[in-house]
Amino acid sequence: MAESSVGVRPPAEPAHHFFSVPRERPKVVVAADILPAVSVLSMVMLTGIPLAALWALLAPPQRVRVVSATENPVPLQLESWHRFDDLAVFALLAFGVGIVVGVVIWLLRERRGPVVLLAAVLGSVLAWWLASMLGPGTFAGMLYEVTAAPQVGDVLETAPVLESAWVLLAQPLAVAATYGLLAGWNGRDDLGRRLG
């Protein structure tokens, strides 16, 4: 006898298919974010000025003794360690500024995305360059300026210096890590841009 097709049902589609609205995956917006990204880059770069001024105030100077009129001054005992202190103070300040910049850039809800993040990271690199030029050269130079010719035996305070370029990683790393943590915590495909 032939089988009846009355008892055979077609496979049912999942129930969630009927109740969910198909959403288009958000795409990276580049053209609309270029001008805000340039603004972000320039504003983040300007954070190098207060960073340099604050570093010049907080970084410890190195005390040196004048031993001869022709030779370079010699650092006092344990004073050469301040070269590391200068780097550490700069790195901690730059890391703190990077966290603040990452949070502030995240609050620009309608511009969230990789274009603005890249602009903030590049602006942080330029902020390091600006701070490394202004900090030791201008601000610290004004604070520890030698006004009179030193005599043999005098103890002088020399301006703090940045002797390594590795501190340039502190602020961009903090910006990228903070922004990435906030994006991961958000959990939305479009990072909440449409809610802005």
Side-chain angles (χ1 to χ4, degrees):
M1 184 182 244
E3 291 184 20
S4 172
S5 62
V6 175
V8 178
R9 294 185 183 181
E13 293 188 20
H16 63 30
H17 177 71
F18 295 112
F19 299 111
S20 66
V21 177
R23 291 188 327 192
E24 182 181 329
R25 276 194 87 97
K27 295 178 176 58
V28 176
V29 179
V30 177
D33 286 349
I34 292 292
L35 186 59
V38 171
S39 299
V40 164
L41 186 137
S42 61
M43 292 304 292
V44 172
M45 183 186 78
L46 291 178
T47 62
I49 297 171
L51 176 63
L54 191 58
W55 174 79
L57 289 172
L58 295 177
Q62 186 177 11
R63 295 188 323 159
V64 295
R65 183 180 303 277
V66 179
V67 292
S68 168
T70 57
E71 296 178 21
N72 289 333
V74 177
L76 297 179
Q77 189 174 12
L78 303 180
E79 287 290 317
S80 61
W81 290 4
H82 288 316
R83 296 181 332 187
F84 171 76
D85 298 339
D86 299 338
L87 283 173
V89 168
F90 189 90
L92 289 173
L93 287 173
F95 199 80
V97 169
I99 290 173
V100 171
V101 166
V103 169
V104 169
I105 297 304
W106 177 255
L107 293 176
L108 300 173
R109 178 177 288 240
E110 294 180 358
R111 299 298 176 209
R112 288 179 183 168
V115 177
V116 172
L117 172 62
L118 184 62
V121 170
L122 289 176
S124 296
V125 172
L126 292 174
W128 165 82
W129 174 79
L130 187 60
S132 67
M133 294 293 115
L134 291 177
T138 305
F139 294 124
M142 287 188 307
L143 288 173
Y144 300 102
E145 184 179 4
V146 178
T147 56
Q151 301 297 321
V152 175
D154 286 351
V155 175
L156 306 173
E157 288 185 339
T158 59
V161 292
L162 291 173
E163 295 182 347
S164 175
W166 283 102
V167 291
L168 84 89
L169 296 176
Q171 187 172 347
L173 179 66
V175 168
T178 303
Y179 200 89
L181 286 172
L182 291 170
W185 185 30
N186 180 271
R188 296 179 182 270
D189 287 343
D190 66 345
L191 300 176
R193 284 177 69 122
R194 287 181 291 193
L195 301 176

